[in-house]
Amino acid sequence: MIICNPLKIIFVKTKKTAGTSFEIALSKFCESNCVITPLTPNDEALRKSLGFRTAQNYKNIYWREYHLKTNGMFSSHISASILCETIPKEIWNNYKKITIFRNPFETIISKYFWIGGEKTGMHFSNFVKKNKSLLKDNLRIAPLKGKSKLDFYLKYENIEEDLQSLKLKKLYDVFKNIHAKSNIRPKNISSANLYKANSDIISIIEDECKDEIEYFGYNLPKYN
């Protein structure tokens, strides 16, 4: 999560949506008074090597301008519902609140390989069946409705156009050259073929992710 004062952006970080790369890019535009939550040591090292700001101001924050103290620590994937209750209302109401969503059929594959894929001894189908709650992660972090609804939901698949529409082309130009965690998922894995071999879990994902599938118009990856 990042609160970037110069750009007046609150970035809420969902999971397996290129959020780390986006955070690193956004850090370039931050100043000393911005909130930047920690990344993994390797990702922080990458951020530092680029000359961008690393984790700062993420615990026990005193918002001097608003005479408000926030006790505790902000984490990387803190939910929008917690943020809207803890940061100054002036910031929540006046900054652009953005996040990234990705086709849930793709996101759950990335989560599977993030924990090790078949090296764990668990086939993809069993992983999904035993971890249905993971399919709801991003909606818990960034709800699509309610008082903690965000202003802009960038689509992973359309992020260049989405950022340009927000007049954030300079941010995209930095983001496009950062590929954090890009070597986790094997390059030879076809999403379509993976679902063809595990068709029994398609309905599970459709049911659990119904809201975001409908909201963003996502579809099952097609195979020949």
Side-chain angles (χ1 to χ4, degrees):
M1 185 277 289
I2 288 181
I3 300 176
C4 179
N5 296 315
L7 296 183
K8 294 189 179 302
I9 284 175
I10 301 171
F11 176 63
V12 176
K13 183 182 179 183
T14 48
K15 296 182 178 181
K16 302 305 166 208
T17 59
T20 297
S21 295
F22 193 88
E23 278 191 317
I24 293 172
L26 185 56
S27 299
K28 174 181 173 61
F29 302 89
C30 289
E31 296 178 346
S32 60
N33 62 347
C34 298
V35 176
I36 304 175
T37 56
L39 301 175
T40 65
N42 286 342
D43 292 325
E44 284 289 22
L46 172 58
R47 184 151 61 179
K48 185 176 181 179
S49 73
L50 293 169
F52 303 165
R53 289 188 178 273
T54 54
Q56 62 178 33
N57 305 326
Y58 60 90
K59 55 184 176 181
N60 300 325
I61 307 170
Y62 178 61
W63 312 86
R64 188 177 304 277
E65 183 178 351
Y66 306 102
H67 306 290
L68 176 69
K69 176 72 178 293
T70 300
N71 295 314
M73 183 170 70
F74 288 143
S75 60
S76 182
H77 295 291
I78 189 171
S79 69
S81 60
I82 293 177
L83 276 178
C84 76
E85 295 294 335
T86 53
I87 69 174
K89 296 299 181 186
E90 293 87 347
I91 291 178
W92 179 262
N93 292 333
N94 297 315
Y95 281 29
K96 293 177 181 177
K97 300 174 284 292
I98 66 177
T99 190
I100 305 173
F101 265 76
R102 182 183 182 187
N103 190 331
F105 287 103
E106 297 287 352
T107 304
I108 195 62
I109 294 175
S110 291
K111 289 180 179 179
Y112 173 61
F113 285 107
W114 176 251
I115 67 160
E118 291 190 349
K119 293 178 182 178
T120 63
M122 187 183 298
H123 292 300
F124 179 54
S125 178
N126 290 334
F127 169 75
V128 173
K129 291 174 182 176
K130 292 182 178 180
N131 295 279
K132 290 182 183 180
S133 65
L134 295 180
L135 293 164
K136 296 284 192 181
D137 275 351
N138 289 343
L139 279 181
R140 282 192 289 268
I141 295 169
L144 298 174
K145 55 187 177 182
K147 67 177 183 178
S148 55
K149 183 180 185 295
L150 304 183
D151 299 315
F152 302 100
Y153 295 83
L154 308 176
K155 288 181 70 172
Y156 172 93
E157 302 82 4
N158 198 47
I159 198 163
E160 178 179 3
E161 291 80 0
D162 287 350
L163 285 174
Q164 288 183 349
S165 72
L166 294 177
K167 303 187 185 306
L168 293 171
K169 184 180 184 302
K170 289 183 179 179
L171 174 56
Y172 175 75
D173 287 343
V174 178
F175 168 75
K176 69 181 180 181
N177 294 313
I178 300 172
H179 306 287
K181 297 182 173 69
S182 61
N183 60 343
I184 303 297
R185 177 174 168 177
K187 302 297 184 184
N188 63 341
I189 296 294
S190 162
S191 302
N193 289 337
L194 194 58
Y195 283 108
K196 183 177 182 180
N198 298 278
S199 59
D200 55 322
I201 60 171
I202 293 174
S203 62
I204 293 175
I205 298 172
E206 289 175 335
D207 290 342
E208 295 294 324
C209 303
K210 179 181 178 182
D211 289 345
E212 59 193 283
I213 287 173
E214 291 182 353
Y215 188 94
F216 296 104
Y218 284 128
N219 295 296
L220 175 72
K222 296 181 179 180
Y223 48 81
N224 296 325

